[in-house]
Amino acid sequence: MLIIPCPYCGPRPELEFSYGGQAHVTRPTAASNPSPAEWNAFQYERANLKGLHAERWRHIHGCARFFNVVRDTTTDEILRSYRSGEK
Amino acid sequence: MSGDCRSARGGGDLQRSQPLRFEFDGRSYQGLQGDTLASALLANGVHLIGRSFKYHRPRGIMAAGPEDPNALVTIRRDAARSTPNLNATQVELYDGLVAYSQNRWPSLRFDTARINDLLSRFIPSGFYYKTFMWPRKAWHSLYEPRIRAAAGLGVASTEADPDLYAQCYGHCELLIVGAGPAGIAAALTAAASGARVMLCDEQALPGGSLRTGTSARIGGQDAADWLRESVQKLTAAPNVTLLTRTTAFGYLPHNMVALSERLSDHLATPPPGKPRERLWQVCARQVILATGAIERPLVFPGNDRPGVMLAGAARSFLNRYGVLPGARVVVLTAHDDAYQTAIDLKAAGVQIAALADMRTDPAGPHVEAARSAGIAVRTGTTAVGTRGNLRVTAVGLAGLDSNGAVAGAADWVKCDALLMSGGYTPSVHLHSQARGKLRWDEATHAFVPGAAAAGCRSVGACNGLIGAELVRVFEQATAAAADALRECGIHDQPGAIAISKELAVSEDRGASGGWIGALPQPAGAKAGKAFVDWQNDVTAADLKLAVREGFRSIEHIKRYTTTGMATDQGKTSNLNALAIAAQQLGRAIPEVGLTTFRLPYLPVGFGGLAGYARGDFFAPVRKTPMYDWAADRGAVFEPVAMWQRARYFPERGEDMHQAVARECAAVRRSCGLFDASTLGKIEVAGPDAIEFMNRMYVNNWSSLAVGRCRYGILLRDDGFVYDDGVVARLSDDRLHVTTTTGGAPRVLGMMEDYLQTEWPHLKVWLTSTTEQWAVIAVQGPQARAVLEPLVEQADLSAAALPHMAMTRGLVCGVPAMIFRVSFTGELGYEINVPADYGAEVWRAIWASGQAHGMCTYGTEAMHVLRAEKGYIIVGQDTDGTMTPDDAGVSWAVGKNKPEFVGMVSLRKPALQDPRRKQLVGLLTVDPAHVLEEGSQIAAEPGQRPPMRLIGHVTSSYYSSVLGRSIALAVVSAGRSRLGQTLYVPTAHGESTVTVTQPVFYDPKGERLNA
């Protein structure tokens, strides 16, 4: 079981969290009139990488906040976590 | 070949003064306290324990530990407590134990399926892929059931498991797996530091290889005395938790290790009300694996007869249980360790008929000790076969020439036990499960741990110290413990034990040697089966066949031959299988590589995994405040998400259809009462509440006046309908959003996601209020008359409270939100009162309704009533690929909005295609025929498969008020087909239907607005 460091609450067991997919995917606004390619990239294209992966988690059974985690997908090691909007 | 095989020597695990009675296959035997079922059977001279999986060959006990592949038994306490496939070497004996052998008929000694062995050339590995193919139909009805019945393990009880299983978490700085010499040395080191230490061992008694018997002295005393004192020290230490009978079966990320602790299986009378097992989930900062090594069998023809045993196992049986494996034994080895077995057995009075060593020139202290004990050593010798039926009677030994080939004829040596050793394989299972890498060590012919996962260390035999001097094991273990503690920030480690003093080792003999793969056989000989995987009956020939047939990857060879895929997961077989495959492929072992190690290390009972999560505790049950009232009235409930909802209220022996017809008629005629409390409710509050909702939902909320409601639709960003519900504006900055019953958590989650990560600058707060409100729906022409006498400070008239308006007031004196909304098409109200008042207000409304012919109705009638009006249910009439236009609710999409979730996707040409499936109504030509939901729809009649199909039925009911069946469906370009005739193929022929508008009842909405 992963021990996930919530940037608001500290390290907590994975059971308290829900997974939120790849982080830093920019959502085009409707007003920007994104091209089909741009919109498809936002909707469907994910890195699925082997190695360091920035991903979103939500401390759903805690502070309920979304935040980001950098995890090595080959070892599950979590290198750091940070708040949404931060890099 | 039975009788007393108990020796006065050895027996370190026994309490000889305590005899126990037990039963095996209906015969009564005597054992001793401390025995395993395996040792007790061997003590009674019983070597035939089971029949093999495929060939039904007689099998005995090969190993002394849980790696044994043969001796699977069923232990039966009563009809419900009957556990199959337990390893006799792991079953601790208790008084009155009842055990049965498996996979034999009619009896273990005479098993008719033994014929499989004679037919074996027709059932090679993968035979079920090659034969039994014709006729095709017979595979399911005849071949597969017969093959499965013949290839067997034990039979599980079909009764519910009556035992209790506990689960708990463990937290520690250091978890040590395995309480052999390495694990104990590590634990002693860590114990002195004050850190929280957990030490677990799968055996009943700690000690590991020290219990098997060693000549070494530790700290100036006998190994057995050192072990006893060390265990006492660890037990007394307040910071050490020592768990025996506890198997670490899974190594999960971040050093979480799953342990299965067996609490009462060893007791004659398990204490009632106490758990049988405990599943530990240990979160350890650091882990030390000291899991030891498993002895490798030798692969030669006839190596599976009862009486053929691993040499180390025979020594264990003697030194732990005082059991002699036979009276006249042959030892066949490629490793020094077996010499100690021969020496110990000879000392116990066993005749060593031969000690055959495959090596041409073995040397060292073991060989010298054997020779000085008067044991003749035959060097450069291999085995070419065995004789015997239910027990080995002789082994054919043959010399090897300088090239390692068999030279000369076999010398058949009579024996009643054959003890073999190919050396030891490190138990790297947990290291690998933790995703540590493996490294091939040419010197010891073993895969040993390479780079380990963070916080994981292997020490001792599992780290490749096979046959090494004990002092090297102690050095490694104490250093690893000190390192692990430093990783936890514990640098000051006073009182740590010293290698030079407490762990000083003397009179120790390191051992070496080993053999991997099949033993050389005479050229051209028609040899018998040489088993590699005993439990799955895989022979060396099977592996060679797989390679000849073109399999190259070891993963494929494993699956094709099933080697290593039995319940023992190849603990004794994997390396031999790999070596044989590698040799056949002409590649080096490390190039071929190992198959993946997966959990569980040993089988774990389902009871332990389920733990408390069974029966009422399997999942939470959500009940509304009116649940008890409905239950008292005999409501039939159905689960909706986690809720229990009243489905219908049968009266006087009604079935569901009769009850639903009566409930629907009452709503249309007078009035119905419905519990809508499960509706999801989210309060959206804050200065930007309207802006937020404009962005989330398709609707335009800016134009929604305070005190008014609107039907809202939520899409995902892919443009498809995700949820729907009525939204009311409570005040300028506050909205009451309702969702579907099942959708509430995910809708709130989605709102939070967009609010927190896309528009964090919006000042909005989201609160789930689902359980704060009890919702009582009063629906029907008499709804107003029923409610008015109970309502204060609110005007229910059509003028003051029109359809889709809301107000606040008192209902039965309770502050309430009153919504004029309808999911039935009738005049309707949904009364929201604080949940604690729900049951009371419900009873008052029910009492008031009696004069008006009011009836309670359940979800089934609700479904019919809404379908008559064409109101969709998200998830039933939509399937996650429907746009608002497909669902016929595009009128709800706000015009000229700059942004809402899904807006961009709705612009896609594919989502605007006029041929998309659209919601329509269907009327069957036969008004009595109710279509099956999910039925497919065709435009042309009389098609044969493959048909061209243009849609499917989503909702279908018999409507009492209309006196006929109705259906909702999604049909390609459906709205352009109004009036067309379509065809629904059914199991009983084709049903002809007419496409209509999806609203069947009161299309003008006059009743709604009454």
Side-chain angles (χ1 to χ4, degrees), chain B residues 261-293:
Chain B
E261 183 183 11
R262 297 174 297 283
L263 297 166
S264 63
D265 277 355
H266 63 291
L267 300 173
T269 312
K274 296 280 173 58
R276 179 181 176 190
E277 290 175 18
R278 181 180 293 124
L279 180 83
W280 288 82
Q281 296 178 74
V282 179
C283 302
R285 293 276 298 278
Q286 300 284 317
V287 176
I288 288 180
L289 301 175
T291 48

mmCIF file of all heavy atoms in Angstrom, chain B residues 261-293:
data_model
loop_
_atom_site.group_PDB
_atom_site.id
_atom_site.type_symbol
_atom_site.label_atom_id
_atom_site.label_comp_id
_atom_site.label_asym_id
_atom_site.label_seq_id
_atom_site.Cartn_x
_atom_site.Cartn_y
_atom_site.Cartn_z
ATOM 1 N N GLU B 261 -1.461 -15.008 9.927
ATOM 2 C CA GLU B 261 -1.144 -15.661 11.209
ATOM 3 C C GLU B 261 -2.226 -16.696 11.512
ATOM 4 O O GLU B 261 -3.408 -16.358 11.572
ATOM 5 C CB GLU B 261 -1.091 -14.613 12.329
ATOM 6 C CG GLU B 261 -0.688 -15.197 13.679
ATOM 7 C CD GLU B 261 -0.706 -14.163 14.802
ATOM 8 O OE1 GLU B 261 -1.226 -13.053 14.603
ATOM 9 O OE2 GLU B 261 -0.216 -14.495 15.902
ATOM 10 N N ARG B 262 -1.812 -17.947 11.661
ATOM 11 C CA ARG B 262 -2.771 -19.014 11.962
ATOM 12 C C ARG B 262 -2.875 -19.156 13.475
ATOM 13 O O ARG B 262 -1.910 -19.467 14.144
ATOM 14 C CB ARG B 262 -2.327 -20.319 11.315
ATOM 15 C CG ARG B 262 -2.294 -20.225 9.786
ATOM 16 C CD ARG B 262 -1.708 -21.465 9.138
ATOM 17 N NE ARG B 262 -0.323 -21.692 9.493
ATOM 18 C CZ ARG B 262 0.721 -21.023 8.983
ATOM 19 N NH1 ARG B 262 0.507 -20.078 8.089
ATOM 20 N NH2 ARG B 262 1.948 -21.293 9.359
ATOM 21 N N LEU B 263 -4.064 -18.927 14.003
ATOM 22 C CA LEU B 263 -4.215 -18.821 15.450
ATOM 23 C C LEU B 263 -4.701 -20.100 16.109
ATOM 24 O O LEU B 263 -4.312 -20.400 17.227
ATOM 25 C CB LEU B 263 -5.185 -17.670 15.778
ATOM 26 C CG LEU B 263 -4.700 -16.287 15.331
ATOM 27 C CD1 LEU B 263 -5.837 -15.289 15.379
ATOM 28 C CD2 LEU B 263 -3.556 -15.830 16.210
ATOM 29 N N SER B 264 -5.563 -20.837 15.446
ATOM 30 C CA SER B 264 -6.169 -21.968 16.160
ATOM 31 C C SER B 264 -6.212 -23.266 15.368
ATOM 32 O O SER B 264 -6.755 -24.247 15.850
ATOM 33 C CB SER B 264 -7.590 -21.590 16.598
ATOM 34 O OG SER B 264 -8.395 -21.348 15.466
ATOM 35 N N ASP B 265 -5.643 -23.286 14.176
ATOM 36 C CA ASP B 265 -5.686 -24.519 13.386
ATOM 37 C C ASP B 265 -4.927 -25.665 14.053
ATOM 38 O O ASP B 265 -5.152 -26.822 13.735
ATOM 39 C CB ASP B 265 -5.100 -24.288 11.980
ATOM 40 C CG ASP B 265 -6.138 -23.692 11.037
ATOM 41 O OD1 ASP B 265 -7.302 -23.558 11.468
ATOM 42 O OD2 ASP B 265 -5.784 -23.377 9.890
ATOM 43 N N HIS B 266 -4.032 -25.329 14.974
ATOM 44 C CA HIS B 266 -3.212 -26.375 15.605
ATOM 45 C C HIS B 266 -3.848 -26.901 16.888
ATOM 46 O O HIS B 266 -3.272 -27.755 17.548
ATOM 47 C CB HIS B 266 -1.822 -25.830 15.905
ATOM 48 C CG HIS B 266 -1.822 -24.686 16.883
ATOM 49 N ND1 HIS B 266 -2.334 -23.452 16.566
ATOM 50 C CD2 HIS B 266 -1.402 -24.604 18.165
ATOM 51 C CE1 HIS B 266 -2.202 -22.655 17.613
ATOM 52 N NE2 HIS B 266 -1.656 -23.329 18.603
ATOM 53 N N LEU B 267 -5.005 -26.363 17.259
ATOM 54 C CA LEU B 267 -5.615 -26.739 18.534
ATOM 55 C C LEU B 267 -6.696 -27.791 18.327
ATOM 56 O O LEU B 267 -7.453 -27.734 17.363
ATOM 57 C CB LEU B 267 -6.225 -25.508 19.208
ATOM 58 C CG LEU B 267 -5.233 -24.379 19.511
ATOM 59 C CD1 LEU B 267 -5.967 -23.159 20.023
ATOM 60 C CD2 LEU B 267 -4.191 -24.862 20.520
ATOM 61 N N ALA B 268 -6.759 -28.735 19.267
ATOM 62 C CA ALA B 268 -7.793 -29.766 19.189
ATOM 63 C C ALA B 268 -9.172 -29.131 19.314
ATOM 64 O O ALA B 268 -10.114 -29.515 18.635
ATOM 65 C CB ALA B 268 -7.575 -30.792 20.296
ATOM 66 N N THR B 269 -9.283 -28.132 20.178
ATOM 67 C CA THR B 269 -10.559 -27.439 20.355
ATOM 68 C C THR B 269 -10.311 -25.941 20.223
ATOM 69 O O THR B 269 -9.894 -25.297 21.178
ATOM 70 C CB THR B 269 -11.153 -27.742 21.749
ATOM 71 O OG1 THR B 269 -11.082 -29.156 21.951
ATOM 72 C CG2 THR B 269 -12.587 -27.273 21.845
ATOM 73 N N PRO B 270 -10.522 -25.398 19.042
ATOM 74 C CA PRO B 270 -10.322 -23.946 18.886
ATOM 75 C C PRO B 270 -11.254 -23.197 19.836
ATOM 76 O O PRO B 270 -12.417 -23.567 19.969
ATOM 77 C CB PRO B 270 -10.694 -23.683 17.429
ATOM 78 C CG PRO B 270 -10.582 -25.014 16.756
ATOM 79 C CD PRO B 270 -10.937 -26.027 17.800
ATOM 80 N N PRO B 271 -10.737 -22.179 20.511
ATOM 81 C CA PRO B 271 -11.592 -21.460 21.449
ATOM 82 C C PRO B 271 -12.754 -20.791 20.715
ATOM 83 O O PRO B 271 -12.535 -20.091 19.730
ATOM 84 C CB PRO B 271 -10.645 -20.412 22.064
ATOM 85 C CG PRO B 271 -9.494 -20.321 21.128
ATOM 86 C CD PRO B 271 -9.388 -21.632 20.427
ATOM 87 N N PRO B 272 -13.980 -21.006 21.176
ATOM 88 C CA PRO B 272 -15.124 -20.423 20.474
ATOM 89 C C PRO B 272 -15.105 -18.895 20.562
ATOM 90 O O PRO B 272 -14.674 -18.335 21.566
ATOM 91 C CB PRO B 272 -16.341 -21.004 21.209
ATOM 92 C CG PRO B 272 -15.813 -21.482 22.517
ATOM 93 C CD PRO B 272 -14.374 -21.806 22.340
ATOM 94 N N GLY B 273 -15.517 -18.263 19.485
ATOM 95 C CA GLY B 273 -15.592 -16.801 19.479
ATOM 96 C C GLY B 273 -14.266 -16.120 19.225
ATOM 97 O O GLY B 273 -14.206 -14.904 19.147
ATOM 98 N N LYS B 274 -13.203 -16.910 19.116
ATOM 99 C CA LYS B 274 -11.885 -16.320 18.839
ATOM 100 C C LYS B 274 -11.549 -16.540 17.369
ATOM 101 O O LYS B 274 -11.989 -17.519 16.774
ATOM 102 C CB LYS B 274 -10.817 -16.983 19.711
ATOM 103 C CG LYS B 274 -11.007 -16.744 21.196
ATOM 104 C CD LYS B 274 -10.486 -15.368 21.576
ATOM 105 C CE LYS B 274 -10.792 -14.995 23.022
ATOM 106 N NZ LYS B 274 -10.259 -15.943 23.993
ATOM 107 N N PRO B 275 -10.771 -15.622 16.790
ATOM 108 C CA PRO B 275 -10.489 -15.771 15.352
ATOM 109 C C PRO B 275 -9.624 -16.986 15.043
ATOM 110 O O PRO B 275 -8.796 -17.404 15.859
ATOM 111 C CB PRO B 275 -9.754 -14.475 14.990
ATOM 112 C CG PRO B 275 -9.301 -13.898 16.275
ATOM 113 C CD PRO B 275 -10.214 -14.393 17.351
ATOM 114 N N ARG B 276 -9.841 -17.538 13.850
ATOM 115 C CA ARG B 276 -9.049 -18.669 13.383
ATOM 116 C C ARG B 276 -7.729 -18.199 12.785
ATOM 117 O O ARG B 276 -6.700 -18.833 12.937
ATOM 118 C CB ARG B 276 -9.857 -19.418 12.319
ATOM 119 C CG ARG B 276 -9.132 -20.605 11.733
ATOM 120 C CD ARG B 276 -9.985 -21.271 10.668
ATOM 121 N NE ARG B 276 -9.260 -22.357 10.037
ATOM 122 C CZ ARG B 276 -9.669 -22.988 8.945
ATOM 123 N NH1 ARG B 276 -10.816 -22.642 8.383
ATOM 124 N NH2 ARG B 276 -8.959 -23.957 8.426
ATOM 125 N N GLU B 277 -7.801 -17.081 12.081
ATOM 126 C CA GLU B 277 -6.592 -16.508 11.477
ATOM 127 C C GLU B 277 -6.616 -15.002 11.671
ATOM 128 O O GLU B 277 -7.674 -14.418 11.881
ATOM 129 C CB GLU B 277 -6.561 -16.778 9.956
ATOM 130 C CG GLU B 277 -6.322 -18.219 9.584
ATOM 131 C CD GLU B 277 -6.438 -18.432 8.078
ATOM 132 O OE1 GLU B 277 -6.366 -17.444 7.328
ATOM 133 O OE2 GLU B 277 -6.603 -19.586 7.674
ATOM 134 N N ARG B 278 -5.440 -14.414 11.552
ATOM 135 C CA ARG B 278 -5.361 -12.957 11.582
ATOM 136 C C ARG B 278 -4.518 -12.514 10.389
ATOM 137 O O ARG B 278 -3.396 -12.994 10.201
ATOM 138 C CB ARG B 278 -4.737 -12.476 12.896
ATOM 139 C CG ARG B 278 -4.642 -10.962 13.001
ATOM 140 C CD ARG B 278 -4.016 -10.523 14.318
ATOM 141 N NE ARG B 278 -4.865 -10.833 15.453
ATOM 142 C CZ ARG B 278 -4.494 -11.572 16.502
ATOM 143 N NH1 ARG B 278 -3.284 -12.083 16.547
ATOM 144 N NH2 ARG B 278 -5.312 -11.800 17.500
ATOM 145 N N LEU B 279 -5.083 -11.625 9.601
ATOM 146 C CA LEU B 279 -4.338 -11.064 8.469
ATOM 147 C C LEU B 279 -3.710 -9.751 8.917
ATOM 148 O O LEU B 279 -4.418 -8.833 9.319
ATOM 149 C CB LEU B 279 -5.283 -10.813 7.293
ATOM 150 C CG LEU B 279 -4.607 -10.237 6.054
ATOM 151 C CD1 LEU B 279 -3.977 -11.351 5.234
ATOM 152 C CD2 LEU B 279 -5.589 -9.460 5.201
ATOM 153 N N TRP B 280 -2.398 -9.714 8.862
ATOM 154 C CA TRP B 280 -1.667 -8.493 9.224
ATOM 155 C C TRP B 280 -1.305 -7.726 7.966
ATOM 156 O O TRP B 280 -0.830 -8.313 7.003
ATOM 157 C CB TRP B 280 -0.364 -8.833 9.928
ATOM 158 C CG TRP B 280 -0.460 -9.366 11.317
ATOM 159 C CD1 TRP B 280 -0.723 -10.653 11.677
ATOM 160 C CD2 TRP B 280 -0.257 -8.643 12.537
ATOM 161 N NE1 TRP B 280 -0.695 -10.767 13.033
ATOM 162 C CE2 TRP B 280 -0.406 -9.554 13.600
ATOM 163 C CE3 TRP B 280 0.049 -7.299 12.824
ATOM 164 C CZ2 TRP B 280 -0.278 -9.173 14.929
ATOM 165 C CZ3 TRP B 280 0.183 -6.938 14.153
ATOM 166 C CH2 TRP B 280 0.019 -7.863 15.190
ATOM 167 N N GLN B 281 -1.531 -6.438 8.003
ATOM 168 C CA GLN B 281 -0.964 -5.574 6.972
ATOM 169 C C GLN B 281 0.067 -4.711 7.689
ATOM 170 O O GLN B 281 -0.282 -3.766 8.389
ATOM 171 C CB GLN B 281 -2.050 -4.731 6.320
ATOM 172 C CG GLN B 281 -3.079 -5.602 5.584
ATOM 173 C CD GLN B 281 -4.189 -4.787 4.976
ATOM 174 O OE1 GLN B 281 -4.000 -4.111 3.980
ATOM 175 N NE2 GLN B 281 -5.356 -4.842 5.573
ATOM 176 N N VAL B 282 1.316 -5.096 7.522
ATOM 177 C CA VAL B 282 2.388 -4.451 8.281
ATOM 178 C C VAL B 282 3.011 -3.343 7.439
ATOM 179 O O VAL B 282 3.504 -3.597 6.336
ATOM 180 C CB VAL B 282 3.468 -5.470 8.695
ATOM 181 C CG1 VAL B 282 4.586 -4.777 9.452
ATOM 182 C CG2 VAL B 282 2.836 -6.562 9.559
ATOM 183 N N CYS B 283 2.953 -2.130 7.949
ATOM 184 C CA CYS B 283 3.621 -1.007 7.295
ATOM 185 C C CYS B 283 4.954 -0.819 8.017
ATOM 186 O O CYS B 283 4.994 -0.325 9.148
ATOM 187 C CB CYS B 283 2.781 0.256 7.402
ATOM 188 S SG CYS B 283 1.154 0.049 6.671
ATOM 189 N N ALA B 284 6.014 -1.264 7.368
ATOM 190 C CA ALA B 284 7.330 -1.247 8.000
ATOM 191 C C ALA B 284 8.187 -0.171 7.354
ATOM 192 O O ALA B 284 8.170 0.004 6.142
ATOM 193 C CB ALA B 284 7.994 -2.610 7.854
ATOM 194 N N ARG B 285 8.953 0.545 8.187
ATOM 195 C CA ARG B 285 9.894 1.505 7.602
ATOM 196 C C ARG B 285 10.962 0.742 6.826
ATOM 197 O O ARG B 285 11.331 1.123 5.712
ATOM 198 C CB ARG B 285 10.562 2.331 8.705
ATOM 199 C CG ARG B 285 9.619 3.267 9.461
ATOM 200 C CD ARG B 285 9.422 4.585 8.718
ATOM 201 N NE ARG B 285 10.667 5.346 8.571
ATOM 202 C CZ ARG B 285 11.191 6.121 9.503
ATOM 203 N NH1 ARG B 285 10.598 6.232 10.677
ATOM 204 N NH2 ARG B 285 12.298 6.800 9.280
ATOM 205 N N GLN B 286 11.449 -0.337 7.427
ATOM 206 C CA GLN B 286 12.499 -1.138 6.817
ATOM 207 C C GLN B 286 12.127 -2.616 6.946
ATOM 208 O O GLN B 286 11.467 -2.997 7.912
ATOM 209 C CB GLN B 286 13.840 -0.890 7.506
ATOM 210 C CG GLN B 286 14.318 0.568 7.446
ATOM 211 C CD GLN B 286 14.862 0.929 6.077
ATOM 212 O OE1 GLN B 286 15.601 0.157 5.469
ATOM 213 N NE2 GLN B 286 14.497 2.113 5.586
ATOM 214 N N VAL B 287 12.550 -3.393 5.970
ATOM 215 C CA VAL B 287 12.255 -4.823 5.992
ATOM 216 C C VAL B 287 13.547 -5.606 5.793
ATOM 217 O O VAL B 287 14.373 -5.238 4.939
ATOM 218 C CB VAL B 287 11.250 -5.202 4.886
ATOM 219 C CG1 VAL B 287 11.017 -6.707 4.860
ATOM 220 C CG2 VAL B 287 9.923 -4.471 5.081
ATOM 221 N N ILE B 288 13.738 -6.629 6.608
ATOM 222 C CA ILE B 288 14.844 -7.562 6.384
ATOM 223 C C ILE B 288 14.246 -8.916 6.049
ATOM 224 O O ILE B 288 13.397 -9.438 6.794
ATOM 225 C CB ILE B 288 15.770 -7.648 7.614
ATOM 226 C CG1 ILE B 288 16.577 -6.346 7.727
ATOM 227 C CG2 ILE B 288 16.704 -8.853 7.506
ATOM 228 C CD1 ILE B 288 17.527 -6.314 8.894
ATOM 229 N N LEU B 289 14.624 -9.447 4.902
ATOM 230 C CA LEU B 289 14.165 -10.763 4.501
ATOM 231 C C LEU B 289 15.220 -11.785 4.885
ATOM 232 O O LEU B 289 16.379 -11.662 4.475
ATOM 233 C CB LEU B 289 13.908 -10.806 2.991
ATOM 234 C CG LEU B 289 12.872 -9.805 2.475
ATOM 235 C CD1 LEU B 289 12.791 -9.856 0.960
ATOM 236 C CD2 LEU B 289 11.515 -10.085 3.098
ATOM 237 N N ALA B 290 14.807 -12.749 5.700
ATOM 238 C CA ALA B 290 15.710 -13.830 6.105
ATOM 239 C C ALA B 290 14.949 -15.128 5.893
ATOM 240 O O ALA B 290 14.683 -15.878 6.818
ATOM 241 C CB ALA B 290 16.124 -13.646 7.562
ATOM 242 N N THR B 291 14.555 -15.337 4.644
ATOM 243 C CA THR B 291 13.604 -16.393 4.332
ATOM 244 C C THR B 291 14.260 -17.719 3.971
ATOM 245 O O THR B 291 13.572 -18.683 3.653
ATOM 246 C CB THR B 291 12.697 -15.947 3.158
ATOM 247 O OG1 THR B 291 13.520 -15.424 2.114
ATOM 248 C CG2 THR B 291 11.747 -14.854 3.610
ATOM 249 N N GLY B 292 15.585 -17.750 4.016
ATOM 250 C CA GLY B 292 16.261 -19.032 3.854
ATOM 251 C C GLY B 292 16.316 -19.522 2.422
ATOM 252 O O GLY B 292 16.264 -18.739 1.474
ATOM 253 N N ALA B 293 16.437 -20.829 2.285
ATOM 254 C CA ALA B 293 16.589 -21.441 0.972
ATOM 255 C C ALA B 293 15.833 -22.759 0.948
ATOM 256 O O ALA B 293 15.517 -23.322 1.994
ATOM 257 C CB ALA B 293 18.063 -21.690 0.665
#
